[in-house]
Amino acid sequence: MSGDHDELPVAARVRRLEERLVEAGLATDEEFDEILEGVYASASPVNGARMVARAWTDPGYRTRLLADANAAAAELGFGDGVHGYLLKAVENTPDVHNMIVCTLCSCYPTSLLGPSPSWYKSFAYRSRAVREPRAVLAEFGVELPDSTEVRVWDANSETRYIVLPLPADGADEMDEDELVSLVTRNGLIGTAIR
Ligand code: FE
């Protein structure tokens, strides 16, 4: 199975593909740079965490986030990254814990959560998250009371999700930057409490 191409590092294979597209007149180097800089260079879970921290401290923003997450992302300057799909924010409560998966592949709001972890793309996660979400959560160290309902959201290319975790104890006393630092990528996926 391993021809020349497969032995090159991924970055070199990507570059070769880019060069072929440029040679064929299908794209320019400037266009590739623009895409990478515009969307991926700034892709970080800190962006999603900032939306969460704002929702925790500003009830109006929380309402707007739950009503129209694309607009709420744009409000904080993250609009470019969430073009082309419907973004939905799902809110954890004491009675409901949300987690996200793409059972088909790995759809995920990259600009707000950063590059997706390899486990998110694994067949094991994609199949087990829907079949036995509590067992998967336990493996991530998330133990929920039996009374908490677990809702699993299956993302696809048209609709993607971000979890709004429960605020931390003492959140009232913290400023937005402190709150941002409490929120992890896994919290935004729902495989951590926050
Ligand atoms: Fe997918």
Side-chain angles (χ1 to χ4, degrees), residues 47-108:
N47 298 340
R50 193 154 291 284
M51 293 169 67
V52 167
R54 183 65 57 89
W56 285 346
T57 53
D58 177 347
Y61 185 80
R62 173 185 159 275
T63 302
R64 294 194 294 283
L65 174 63
L66 295 173
D68 182 346
N70 295 80
E75 205 179 306
L76 299 192
F78 310 133
D80 288 351
V82 296
H83 266 162
Y85 60 86
L86 178 66
L87 179 68
K88 287 188 180 172
V90 287
E91 183 181 40
N92 289 348
T93 69
D95 301 320
V96 176
H97 180 87
N98 296 282
M99 81 191 257
I100 61 176
V101 64
C102 171
T103 55
L104 197 64
C105 42
S106 58
C107 298
Y108 167 105

